[in-house]
Amino acid sequence: KTVLIGSGGCGKSLMLQHLFLQAAEKYKKTGILPVFLELRYFTQNDDLLSFIVKTVGDKDRRFSQDVAKRLLLSGRCQLLLDGFDEIDPSDVADFLVKLEHFSDLYDKVQIVISSRENESLTGLHNYIKLYMWPFDTAQSEKLIDKILAYRGEEENRDTVLEYINNGFLKKDGIFASHPLLLTFVTLKYPAYKKFGE
């Protein structure tokens, strides 16, 4: 049981999506089914089992409560719960009780939760906390290079780096180390360049 903690846009959801895709590719080999759940849709009316069945059932109608229970009891399910901090505040306490009961009942299931730092995290018992740190300069430049290469715009690297390093972003270093903002600036820098002028 693990919780990924980081600021908004630092890549928590992308990490869960990456884990989902990796597990899906290896499903035939491992027999472990990854299930990606967006917790912002969880309400007091839900329990985790029905939430799982509904989410997976929307993609595969053969996925029933009986199938889910068999997979969960045998530990052949990996739950990737995205956005713990996005649960409605009035629903958080109820969710924590349901999660603890669910974890006790299906104790072989791997659970990975993503969240921004918040007080409710103290209610997650026996979870390993992993903190996602901002990018260093090399990681930031690698991300920019990948985005530009994907778009076939490698020749714009120096322009983007100049804008990030010497434009208004450098005044607050967090922007130059934040994956979501780096991506946005790399994709939209021509408009910012005009604005800067």
Side-chain angles (χ1 to χ4, degrees):
K1 298 193 294 187
T2 305
V3 56
L4 298 176
I5 303 168
S7 62
C10 75
K12 299 179 302 294
S13 295
L14 282 176
M15 176 57 79
L16 288 188
Q17 290 170 10
H18 172 72
L19 292 174
F20 175 84
L21 292 173
Q22 274 193 326
E25 284 177 12
K26 296 176 184 174
Y27 174 70
K28 287 184 180 178
K29 186 177 178 180
T30 65
I32 297 174
L33 179 71
V35 177
F36 187 93
L37 301 170
E38 293 181 272
L39 292 178
R40 65 181 162 191
Y41 299 119
F42 188 88
T43 68
Q44 287 182 1
N45 298 327
D46 293 316
D47 64 75
L48 275 164
L49 181 60
S50 64
F51 193 56
I52 292 166
V53 171
K54 181 186 179 331
T55 301
V56 178
D58 286 346
K59 307 286 187 260
D60 183 351
R61 291 185 181 159
R62 297 171 296 171
F63 192 81
S64 66
Q65 194 162 14
D66 290 337
V67 172
K69 282 182 180 179
R70 277 198 313 267
L71 287 172
L72 293 164
L73 285 169
S74 64
R76 294 182 314 160
C77 212
Q78 176 191 54
L79 296 183
L80 304 163
L81 309 178
D82 188 37
F84 174 74
D85 58 292
E86 296 178 33
I87 298 173
D88 188 293
S90 64
D91 295 335
V92 171
D94 188 54
F95 173 80
L96 288 169
V97 169
K98 290 176 180 179
L99 179 63
E100 188 143 347
H101 175 71
F102 179 91
S103 298
D104 290 343
L105 188 59
Y106 304 110
D107 60 343
K108 296 177 185 171
V109 173
Q110 180 187 41
I111 301 173
V112 182
I113 300 174
S114 72
S115 182
R116 295 178 189 183
E117 185 71 64
N118 68 74
E119 292 176 11
S120 298
L121 289 173
T122 58
L124 293 173
H125 302 127
N126 302 314
Y127 277 76
I128 296 169
K129 292 181 179 177
L130 297 177
Y131 290 86
M132 298 187 68
W133 297 102
F135 279 9
D136 61 27
T137 301
Q139 291 170 317
S140 295
E141 289 180 5
K142 189 174 180 182
L143 175 62
I144 291 165
D145 290 342
K146 283 185 176 189
I147 294 168
L148 292 174
Y150 178 77
R151 294 171 57 98
E153 298 178 3
E154 294 94 330
E155 72 280 0
N156 296 327
R157 181 181 197 272
D158 290 340
T159 305
V160 172
L161 287 176
E162 171 69 22
Y163 180 74
I164 288 172
N165 290 328
N166 298 316
F168 75 93
L169 293 179
K170 193 64 175 181
K171 292 176 185 171
D172 186 353
I174 189 71
F175 287 103
S177 63
H178 192 280
L180 181 63
L181 293 170
L182 281 169
T183 300
F184 190 75
V185 169
T186 303
L187 295 174
K188 302 289 185 184
Y189 72 91
Y192 286 128
K193 188 177 176 191
K194 289 177 192 170
F195 176 76
E197 290 169 357

